[in-house]
Amino acid sequence: MSERLPDPVILDLLAGKLAAASKREWSVEGDVVRGPGTVGVTLGADHTGDPAHLDLNFVLNLERPDTTTLTDCVTGYGDTAEAVVERAIDTWLGTTGSAVFELLVQDGSFASHFAADDPRGFPGWHLIHGGIVGWGSGAEHQAVQLWAAEHLLPPALAPVLAKDLELTGGQLIGIKVFFGGRAGSETAEVRVNGEVHETASAAIAELDWPRPQDDLSYARTYLLLVHTQ
């Protein structure tokens, strides 16, 4: 694979895909992809050397980025540098993007809502559950994605995250969940506000999602928590 695409090229791809997904205007202004109102997306520095890896920051208020930024990372795949970046952006938009778009419009058109007292959600937090994206290879490439669509992840995560979520003191928390692989080579990762949470990752790893013997199957989703107290 060739080297990572230049940042201006990645930002142009981001702007186009954000506009298509949200059906709103997004444009590149310097090092920011600016959307409607105060919303924007910035691209993190290349700290991995992997052309397929992107660090993306959804900024809800560009005038107050320190307290309104949802940091995330995503990896794409493909035969060319452009293909892997496009796939990474699509995956991010289908999970993180859907949750943030829903936060902005609040009409159920992008993601599902779960109230703070809903047993399917997080006690004390309003949950916006982003989309579930899957990928892999072989006949069972959709196995983990289909399992994730039928099994609720928040009830498995809420007990192990409750104390740490309160300690953050934040009003808005983003949780990325990524898991899958094949039998004997599984992976499970939960990131809270961009940082790996080992206990939550272990909780996902212990669930009975499919482990294909020969094929590869992965799923990713994003949970956006809004404090209600």
Side-chain angles (χ1 to χ4, degrees):
M1 185 186 301
S2 58
E3 296 181 354
R4 175 184 167 101
L5 292 179
D7 285 0
V9 175
I10 297 174
L11 292 173
D12 281 339
L13 288 172
L14 265 172
K17 287 183 174 292
L18 281 160
S22 66
K23 296 179 175 59
R24 303 289 293 275
E25 183 177 349
W26 290 75
S27 61
V28 180
E29 298 183 11
D31 58 358
V32 176
V33 182
R34 183 178 288 274
T38 63
V39 179
V41 175
T42 61
L43 178 65
D46 177 17
H47 64 93
T48 67
D50 182 352
H53 179 95
L54 298 179
D55 286 280
L56 298 170
N57 307 303
F58 225 127
V59 188
L60 298 176
N61 189 331
L62 289 166
E63 297 178 359
R64 296 186 290 108
D66 291 347
T67 57
T68 67
T69 297
L70 293 164
T71 298
D72 198 6
C73 61
V74 64
T75 301
Y77 61 89
D79 296 329
T80 66
E82 182 169 314
V84 298
V85 167
E86 289 189 338
R87 180 68 186 195
I89 294 172
D90 288 343
T91 299
W92 176 75
L93 282 172
T95 54
T96 309
S98 66
V100 178
F101 290 156
E102 182 58 32
L103 175 69
L104 298 175
V105 301
Q106 296 284 320
D107 64 3
S109 59
F110 288 101
S112 300
H113 292 260
F114 297 88
D117 59 354
D118 193 317
R120 299 170 296 176
F122 278 75
W125 298 83
H126 180 88
L127 166 64
I128 300 176
H129 197 312
I132 301 169
V133 172
W135 64 95
S137 62
E140 295 186 82
H141 69 279
Q142 290 184 300
V144 176
Q145 180 188 19
L146 293 173
W147 182 94
E150 297 174 355
H151 295 78
L152 293 167
L153 298 178
L157 292 172
V160 298
L161 287 176
K163 182 181 292 186
D164 290 342
L165 294 182
E166 291 298 333
L167 290 175
T168 66
Q171 297 299 305
L172 195 65
I173 293 177
I175 303 171
K176 182 188 81 172
V177 185
F178 162 68
F179 59 105
R182 61 162 58 97
S185 182
E186 305 97 339
T187 186
E189 180 182 88
V190 175
R191 287 181 178 263
V192 179
N193 288 344
E195 299 295 328
V196 174
H197 194 288
E198 299 292 352
T199 306
S201 298
I204 295 298
E206 292 172 359
L207 298 179
D208 62 348
W209 38 271
R211 275 80 165 173
Q213 288 297 318
D214 301 310
D215 301 331
L216 283 174
S217 183
Y218 295 95
R220 170 190 159 114
T221 191
Y222 192 82
L223 311 176
L224 187 56
L225 306 183
V226 183
H227 210 290
T228 60
Q229 298 176 353

